[in-house]
Each structure stands twice: as structure tokens, then as C-alpha cells.
Amino acid sequence: MEIFGKNVFNQDVMREKLPKAVYKNLKKTIDEGLPLDPSIADVVATVMRDWAIERGATHFTHWFQPMTGVTAEKHDSFITPTDNGILMEFSGKELIKGEPDASSFPSGGLRSTFEARGYTAWDCTSPAFLREEADVITLCIPTAFCSYTGEALDKKTPLLRSMEALSTQATRILKLFGNTTATRVTSTVGPEQEYFLIDKSYFLDRLDLLMAGRTLFGAMPPKGQEMEDHYFGSIKERVISYMKEVNTELWKLGVTAKTQHNEVAPGQFELAPIFETTNIATDHNQMIMDVLKRIAIRHDMVCLLHEKPFAGVNGSGKHNNWSMSSNDGQNLLEPGHTPHDNIQFLTFLMAVIKAVDEHAGLLRASCANAGNDHRLGANEAPPAIISIFLGDQLADIVDQIEKGGAKSSTKSGDMQIGVTTLPALPKDTTDRNRTSPFAFTGNKFEFRMVGSSFSIAGPNVVINTIIADALKQFADKLEKSKDFSGDLQKILQETARKHKRIVFNGNNYSDAWVKEAEKRGLKNIPNTPEALKELVTKEAVELFVTHKVFTEKEVHSRYDIMVEQYNKTLNIEARTMIDMAKHKIMPAAASFAAEVAQSLSAVAAVSDKLDVSAQRELLENISNSLSSMNKNVKALEQTLDATLKISDVAEQAAAFRKNVFARMLALRADGDALEKIVSADQWPLPTYAEMLFNL
Ligand code: ADP
Ligand code: MG
């Protein structure tokens, strides 16, 4: 296809345009994760600049991912004025390093504003690309963002570090299996992105959508998603033409937008790219979110990436399909056909089981934000309890390993472990479990807790690191072993015994599972303030430090940033609700009440024999809800004031969750009650029926 990758400075372009030696040097850096040779930077910069200018670019930017979760950029023009005119300049120095004024990005205390230096450094493993926006074409250079003292201030740096950690440990394991060809292992990710579309006019009429990205009021329409007629249904024309443009835009950027379909809720859709190296998949997912939003505007729609834009219908997630592959071409989570590969597969599989069980809290924390609190554990996919779905066949094999039924013996070098009789697993297992938060799906795991608005960097930092750690523990023992096969058998058996509790193949939505999980000692962490604490436990800090993913200071700074983000989100939501109640809902309800009162007296004046009980009852109902709303607005204002006075961020977060959140729910109930009785023409907000069904 001609347009695919048209706007990407990819390996093909590099091979064609760069001097051979420079290309080789750069490719080695990219493939082997070696440090960049600064002496080639000038050449690469010149070639990159010429390529970009040929395609109409006038500006370049270091494109980075600060802790806000969205991408940031600082645009510079290629143009440099000189004595005799202008020069289109772009040096190696400008390619590899940038210095945006970083003072207003969250740093969690790592960098006070008076020493606001932040640096962006070229990540040559993710290709530079051109972004076309309005008439401006900008060369975007993916970069990492760190402080003057080298601390990570972004999402990319720790992700790259965690990939390195995983590669190191997984390669050790491969070596133990006699592999002499694999020198690197990369984690791969295919994130499925869910989103909602609504007509732009509705969006602009709702302060809550504008300010908070989700509806804070809104009564359920007569029809929700119960008919399930939207799911995989035919896609409306307006949406098709939107998707077509989204795809074209993404293809130009080298993003393999592959599948698209309607999701469960009305107005909800999904886009899935083909999986890639985690780093690139993460960059691409940021581009996907950006393109989804930008193109929607062109079609007079707004794309909502919030985890729960509408109460009562499904929220949006981002299924994070994860695996690891070696640079000699193996997917390490592919069960395969041969016994030898099967033991290797089982070793990696058991490492995942161990990792997920030991660090379930961290996985939960990696998906915690105010938006996702409306999904996780809220009676909707997926629950807040982490467990693994393996399917019957694999679960049975884990049982066998645990029982030691798999007998092992060493025979001059070759391995015989009973479990090697594992049959080749069918890819499309019929027993798909859609309720599990961490499901094995044939040759990869699907982590379903990630929220739709998230950068996938955070969750993948955790997945990579915890699995690296489990593999490290295996490798530490096995490298010293004199009886590889026997000791591996023991390790796997012990792992099965200890961590089998995390495996659950049943219905994760049932109450019975909540009880069962409690019996098994699995964590059920209900909300963000609680979940985030998992990031700063002694074990978590030790884990990150051991694998050089975060320093202790970085972990704490991230924790602070995330807690603050939670507090800010709830503060904005509460203030928006107060505003909407006071300036939209209460005036509308009051004037409707006055109208009903007038009609009541007018009708009564005609004859006292007329039955005005309906008007009276209506008036009573409006007045009661209005009065309740008035009280609840005041209560929310007071609670919010008190909460904002708490100086400790974690304590403040707990108060937001316990007190402010509860008050918000009470206020919403009044608003929704009023929506059901106030005359439709006088209701001041677009309704759920309009927003969800009128696309
Ligand atoms: P599903 O399994 O959800 O029905 P797919 O088979 O299309 O759908 O896979 C969903 C996502 O998983 C896609 O983005 C796909 O590219 C990705 N995926 C497939 N194989 C891997 C892998 N080895 N590593 C990571 N992601 C993968
Ligand atoms: Mg899926």
C-alpha cells in the first residue's frame, strides 16, 4: 500500500538515504539497544531534515510523554536567519537533545521550578514521523524526558528500562535452555483501544463533558445496551467515513490500524493495531488517541477516551495484549509443538504466574485512576481482583506440575520432564473468558484492566519488571544448578504450589468469586487511593530499584504525581457538578415548578371540582428534589472545602474518595430525578438518549 508509512522516517528510508556505515551503526544501536554513537548524529540529522523538508515540513519538535499521560511537544522552526538570508538548519545536537522549559510538567518534587531544566533525548528505537495538522507539517522526534540530574520525568524512560530488564533476564533463561542464537528479548504489545463518539453539539452543551470528559449527571434512557444490538452491528455511515479517515491518517504514520467494530455500548467503538515492540506500540497508541480525537472534530463529532463517559452503560478499556519474543524469532509464550519448546514455554508461563501473584497489587496500581474506578470492580469488566485465566487445558497442566506427576530424570544432556507431553494448544480456544483481568489467549496474555485514556507505558513497565524479576529468580537458581532438569522441575513445582491460587477460570463477575478470592488471600483493592499505595511498598520499591527501572526517589515522585492527579480530577468533577446544579439544573427545575404552580392555580380557578392532583403531585416532586439538590449542593461545597484543607496528599485522596465522592453521588441522584420530571423542552442538558443514539 502506497500510503503506509509515508510519513515515517523508518528503516527503509534510513537504508536508502543514509551513508552505509552510518546506517549500519544506527541499526545496531536500534536492534541491540546500544548507546547512540554521537558522531553519527549530524549526518542522521541532515538526512532526516532533507527528507522532512522534501515532504513540506517547516518545523520540528521533540515529541515526549510527560507524566500528564498525554504527549507534549515544543516546536522549533528549521529556519535559522543568517547574514545573507535564511538557512534551513537542523543539527545533530538538535536531533539528540532538546531543552524544553519543563517547569510546568508534573515532577512530583523531583525538580523545583527554579531549577526547571528538563532534557529530551532522542529515542532512536522509535522512528521519527511527520505530523500533518491544518497546513503545518512537523517533524516529530520521539524522545525521552528527564531532569538535569537524570531522573525520569516521563513515561518512556522507565518503559525502555523495563524492556531492558526483561531482555536481560529472559535471555539468561534462554541460554539455560541451550539457546545460542538469541541475544535479546523484547516485549510486544497490541493494545485494543475503545472509545465513544458523540455529536459535537451535545458535547459543547455539557460542561461536564467539557471539563471532566464524562457525564456527571444523566438519567438512563428507556433503552440502554440491553438489546446488545450495537455490538458488532453495522456501522453508521458517518462513523464509517470517520474510521476511514482515521485509518488513512494512521497508516501514513506507520500505525497498522487493523480491526474496527462497534463495541457493546451504543456509540462505542474499538480500534486495534497489529502488535509491535512495546516502546513503539506505546508511541503508536499515543498517536492513535491523538488521531481519534483530531479526526472526530473534522466530522463534527467528539471522541471520548474517558473510562466511563456514561453511567449505566459499558465503560472503555484498553486490552493490553502482551507477549515476549526473542531476536531469533520465537514468541516465548507460544506453546509450540515440540517437547523441548514446551518446557521452555512452561518455564516462561510459570514465571508469569509467579509474577502476577507476587505483584498483583502493582498491576492493580498500574491501572488506577479516577476514571477507571468507575470500571474496575464496579460490576463491570473487569473486576478489581487480579487473577489469571489459563483455560482448562493449561490449568490442568499446572495442576499436574504441582502434583509433581510430571516426573523428571536427566539423561546425558537431554531433558525429560513428564509435562512435556503437553499437546499443541489450539489457538482459538473455544473457552474464551471475557471476564478475566489477565487472560492467556493462545500465545499472549491479555491484560484487560487498563483504562481507555491511559498511556500503556505504566502498565507495561509493571508487567515487564515483575516478569523480569520472576525470571531472575529462576535464573539465579538454575545457573548454579548441577541438575538443570531436576532443579527446573522442582522450581516449577514449587511455583505451581505457591502461586496456583492466582489462576481462576470461572466467572470473575460473580459474587462467589469475590468470596473465593478472599479465601485464597487475593487482594481486592477497590479504589485509586488504596491502589496507588501499592507503588510505594517496600517490596515494590525494592523490585524497581533492583531492576534499575526506577530509583527510590523516582518511585515516590510518581506516586505523588498520581495521587495529586486523582485529587485534582475529583476536585474538578465536584466543582463542575456544583456549577451545573446551580446554573443549569436548579434554575430549569425552579422555572418549571413555577409553571406547574401557575397551571395548578389556573386550573383550580376554573372550577374547584376539577382534579388537580396530578399537578399537585408533580409540584411536590419537583419541589422535593429541588430542595434535596439545594441541600446536597451545600453539603458538597462544605465537604470539598474541608477536603481541600487537608495538606497530606494521600490523606486528601482518601477524603476525596470517601466523602466528596459520596456527596457527588447524592447530588447526581437529585439531578437525575429532576431530569425524569422536568419537561423535556425545558431540560437544559442533552440527554443520554440523544448523546448515545443520535450519531
Ligand atoms: P483477540 O485475541 O482479541 O480476538 P487478535 O487475535 O486480533 O484479537 O489480537 C488482539 C491483539 O493482540 C492485536 O492487537 C494483536 O496484534 C495482538 N497480538 C497478537 N499476537 C501478539 C503478541 N505475540 N504479542 C502482543 N500482542 C499480540
Ligand atoms: Mg481482545
Side-chain angles (χ1 to χ4, degrees):
M1 197 186 336
E2 252 174 48
I3 57 164
F4 189 80
K6 170 175 165 271
N7 285 349
V8 187
F9 192 73
N10 55 26
Q11 296 230 0
D12 291 341
V13 181
M14 292 188 218
R15 190 178 327 111
E16 187 196 318
K17 310 234 171 208
L18 288 173
K20 226 182 190 151
V22 172
Y23 171 70
K24 264 196 178 157
N25 189 329
L26 185 61
K27 187 163 161 38
K28 216 168 145 76
T29 302
I30 295 170
D31 292 349
E32 295 173 29
L34 298 173
L36 180 77
D37 174 358
S39 72
I40 63 167
D42 273 325
V43 182
V44 179
T46 308
V47 170
M48 201 188 272
R49 177 202 63 195
D50 291 347
W51 170 83
I53 289 173
E54 237 168 63
R55 279 161 182 72
T58 48
H59 290 71
F60 69 92
T61 178
H62 275 199
W63 184 78
F64 58 105
Q65 298 165 32
M67 292 301 296
T68 53
V70 291
T71 52
E73 23 198 89
K74 180 190 171 222
H75 293 239
D76 278 308
S77 165
F78 285 120
I79 294 170
T80 311
T82 62
D83 291 343
N84 35 13
I86 52 163
L87 201 67
M88 298 294 255
E89 232 180 24
F90 181 54
S91 67
K93 221 176 97 210
E94 285 168 301
L95 167 64
I96 60 177
K97 192 171 139 194
E99 197 182 335
D101 174 19
S103 52
S104 38
F105 292 114
S107 76
L110 275 182
R111 179 175 33 74
S112 38
T113 28
F114 63 85
E115 45 179 37
R117 271 179 206 225
Y119 291 102
T120 49
W122 182 32
D123 166 24
C124 63
T125 61
S126 182
F129 58 93
L130 296 177
R131 204 176 56 190
E132 301 172 8
E133 204 174 10
D135 295 337
V136 184
I137 299 181
T138 306
L139 169 66
C140 298
I141 301 154
T143 54
F145 178 47
C146 58
S147 75
Y148 182 63
T149 43
E151 275 115 356
L153 297 174
D154 69 348
K155 305 237 169 201
K156 185 189 271 277
T157 308
L159 181 66
L160 292 170
R161 293 177 187 158
S162 73
M163 289 172 68
E164 204 52 48
L166 183 76
S167 179
T168 307
Q169 303 306 335
T171 314
R172 285 174 72 191
I173 297 288
L174 288 177
K175 274 215 183 82
L176 284 161
F177 278 98
N179 183 313
T180 53
T181 45
T183 52
R184 282 188 75 71
V185 169
T186 33
S187 60
T188 51
V189 167
E192 301 166 62
Q193 177 74 48
E194 290 179 337
Y195 59 95
F196 277 88
L197 289 173
I198 66 165
D199 191 274
K200 193 170 127 200
S201 62
Y202 299 138
F203 177 83
L204 294 177
D205 268 353
R206 295 208 50 137
L207 190 68
D208 46 7
L209 287 177
L210 265 165
M211 297 291 116
R214 76 175 178 104
T215 53
L216 298 164
F217 291 101
M220 278 306 287
K223 174 180 165 180
Q225 65 190 42
E226 63 271 40
M227 304 295 282
E228 306 205 325
D229 47 358
H230 181 71
Y231 192 42
F232 284 88
S234 65
I235 302 176
K236 289 204 172 115
E237 240 170 71
R238 183 181 187 184
V239 177
I240 288 187
S241 82
Y242 163 76
M243 286 177 169
K244 195 172 154 213
E245 206 172 322
V246 164
N247 284 343
T248 309
E249 208 60 29
L250 288 173
W251 287 336
K252 283 197 243 168
L253 290 165
V255 180
T256 52
K258 200 186 72 156
T259 60
Q260 53 193 28
H261 57 77
N262 287 356
E263 263 300 326
V264 182
Q268 193 186 26
F269 307 92
E270 181 190 286
L271 184 151
I274 294 171
F275 73 96
E276 300 167 287
T277 306
T278 308
N279 180 32
I280 296 178
T282 303
D283 285 357
H284 281 176
N285 183 248
Q286 293 292 340
M287 295 183 207
I288 288 173
M289 291 195 283
D290 181 54
V291 167
L292 283 173
K293 283 196 276 194
R294 279 194 295 125
I295 306 294
I297 302 290
R298 286 189 206 161
H299 292 253
D300 280 325
M301 297 189 289
V302 172
C303 170
L304 303 174
L305 293 174
H306 193 283
E307 282 74 18
K308 195 77 175 178
F310 304 100
V313 297
N314 261 34
S316 300
K318 182 139 53 190
H319 291 177
N320 189 88
N321 294 275
W322 183 97
S323 188
M324 41 195 158
S325 57
S326 55
N327 63 347
D328 63 353
Q330 303 179 61
N331 174 354
L332 303 182
L333 291 178
E334 170 67 58
H337 298 278
T338 59
H340 175 82
D341 280 348
N342 283 348
I343 323 167
Q344 186 185 301
F345 161 74
L346 285 174
T347 306
F348 283 105
L349 179 77
M350 294 310 288
V352 174
I353 292 173
K354 175 181 163 71
V356 172
D357 188 35
E358 282 180 348
H359 301 287
L362 267 186
L363 280 170
R364 171 68 181 87
S366 77
C367 298
N369 77 3
N372 225 7
D373 275 4
H374 300 281
R375 289 176 71 229
L376 304 182
N379 241 343
E380 190 212 304
I385 307 163
I386 302 259
S387 66
I388 295 180
F389 169 82
L390 286 182
D392 294 340
Q393 203 171 16
L394 273 187
D396 177 58
I397 287 162
V398 173
D399 280 344
Q400 285 181 45
I401 296 177
E402 185 201 3
K403 293 197 187 89
K407 292 173 199 66
S408 85
S409 59
T410 347
K411 261 206 307 183
S412 58
D414 65 353
M415 284 161 277
Q416 287 194 342
I417 294 183
V419 292
T420 57
T421 52
L422 167 64
L425 292 174
K427 268 276 158 46
D428 281 312
T429 38
T430 43
D431 54 350
R432 272 220 159 191
N433 181 324
R434 290 177 57 89
T435 67
S436 175
F438 207 92
F440 186 72
T441 50
N443 58 1
K444 60 185 188 289
F445 276 97
E446 183 168 349
F447 185 31
R448 301 192 176 121
M449 271 189 173
V450 185
S452 50
S453 72
F454 276 66
S455 156
I456 57 167
N460 286 298
V461 164
V462 169
I463 298 176
N464 289 342
T465 312
I466 63 177
I467 292 171
D469 192 65
L471 293 171
K472 177 180 185 296
Q473 293 182 43
F474 288 178
D476 285 349
K477 283 190 193 152
L478 290 169
E479 279 171 0
K480 286 189 216 122
S481 159
K482 302 229 155 46
D483 169 17
F484 176 75
S485 182
D487 285 341
L488 177 59
Q489 164 75 22
K490 268 190 227 134
I491 287 175
L492 296 187
Q493 186 175 357
E494 190 192 301
T495 307
R497 195 176 292 146
K498 224 165 138 187
H499 300 294
K500 205 187 70 173
R501 62 171 190 164
I502 198 78
V503 176
F504 178 64
N505 285 335
N507 178 6
N508 286 256
Y509 298 173
S510 69
D511 293 333
W513 168 234
V514 176
K515 290 200 191 91
E516 164 71 18
E518 196 181 334
K519 254 200 257 156
R520 294 190 191 184
L522 301 181
K523 284 180 178 162
N524 185 357
I525 306 174
N527 58 54
T528 297
E530 286 302 310
L532 291 179
K533 289 180 188 161
E534 299 287 327
L535 289 174
V536 285
T537 61
K538 199 171 135 273
E539 296 78 28
V541 172
E542 212 172 280
L543 170 85
F544 289 128
V545 172
T546 302
H547 293 279
K548 299 194 166 61
V549 172
F550 291 119
T551 63
E552 185 168 357
K553 224 164 126 190
E554 286 172 339
V555 177
H556 283 280
S557 86
R558 258 148 229 262
Y559 169 76
D560 286 348
I561 290 170
M562 289 180 201
V563 177
E564 267 169 26
Q565 267 163 0
Y566 177 82
N567 295 350
K568 284 179 190 162
T569 305
L570 263 78
N571 186 27
I572 291 169
E573 289 188 349
R575 285 203 306 230
T576 304
M577 284 192 93
I578 292 167
D579 190 299
M580 289 171 78
K582 280 185 173 171
H583 298 121
K584 285 273 188 184
I585 300 176
M586 290 172 74
S591 84
F592 182 60
E595 231 173 74
V596 177
Q598 235 168 27
S599 123
L600 172 66
S601 44
V603 174
V606 174
S607 153
D608 58 9
K609 292 207 174 60
L610 289 170
D611 180 1
V612 288
S613 59
Q615 288 94 323
R616 186 162 285 127
E617 201 176 306
L618 186 55
L619 189 58
E620 251 171 47
N621 286 343
I622 304 169
S623 300
N624 287 343
S625 287
L626 193 55
S627 147
S628 172
M629 177 166 254
N630 189 42
K631 282 184 203 131
N632 278 324
V633 166
K634 284 188 198 150
L636 178 56
E637 282 174 331
Q638 280 164 8
T639 310
L640 189 59
D641 279 347
T643 307
L644 290 170
K645 288 200 182 94
I646 302 172
S647 55
D648 180 83
V649 283
E651 254 173 60
Q652 193 181 58
F656 262 116
R657 173 66 199 191
K658 184 158 171 276
N659 308 329
V660 175
F661 191 68
R663 295 275 184 220
M664 283 166 60
L665 287 180
L667 186 56
R668 176 171 188 143
D670 296 330
D672 295 357
L674 283 169
E675 184 178 340
K676 285 184 183 147
I677 38 181
V678 170
S679 143
D681 337 320
Q682 289 172 47
W683 186 248
L685 302 167
T687 64
Y688 268 36
E690 291 168 318
M691 290 185 285
L692 289 169
F693 292 97
N694 192 9
L695 245 185

